[in-house]
Amino acid sequence: MNLLFTIAKNRWAALIIGLVLIPLGLLNATSTDQVTCGGQVMQEGDICETSRRGSTTERSYDEQKENDVTGSYILAGVGGVLVLVGATQFVLRARRRSADDAPAAEAPATTA
């Protein structure tokens, strides 16, 4: 998670990585070529068994396929957020620069 915040602070990294993640996630979501479990290609009838923190999860072929698609959409969503963050940083910096470059307004002259 710290890596994500570090990337979001750098506007160029956020934009570039975001622009890569969006199509990558969408292409993976629409790809129905292979369903994988731990890097291994699954076949109909296979069970995907994963262990994490002492807990084991089993998924059927169809459940794993759905899980792969959901993960791909999440990847594309994170890419979209990174693009928004990077673009927002560019806009804010441009506004700050234009405000700094603008001549200071003179105080109105008072007559006594």
Side-chain angles (χ1 to χ4, degrees), residues 71-84:
S72 297
Y73 282 127
I74 290 171
L75 188 67
V78 168
V81 169
L82 287 174
V83 167
L84 287 174

Side-chain angles (χ1 to χ4, degrees), residues 56-107:
T56 301
T57 304
E58 292 184 355
R59 290 188 195 96
S60 68
Y61 176 87
D62 291 330
E63 290 170 334
Q64 184 63 28
K65 183 176 182 178
E66 184 178 323
N67 189 55
D68 288 351
V69 170
T70 302
S72 297
Y73 282 127
I74 290 171
L75 188 67
V78 168
V81 169
L82 287 174
V83 167
L84 287 174
V85 167
T88 301
Q89 288 177 358
F90 272 107
V91 169
L92 292 176
R93 181 165 286 195
R95 284 186 177 180
R96 244 182 275 136
R97 283 187 180 162
S98 66
D100 291 344
D101 293 342
E106 292 183 24

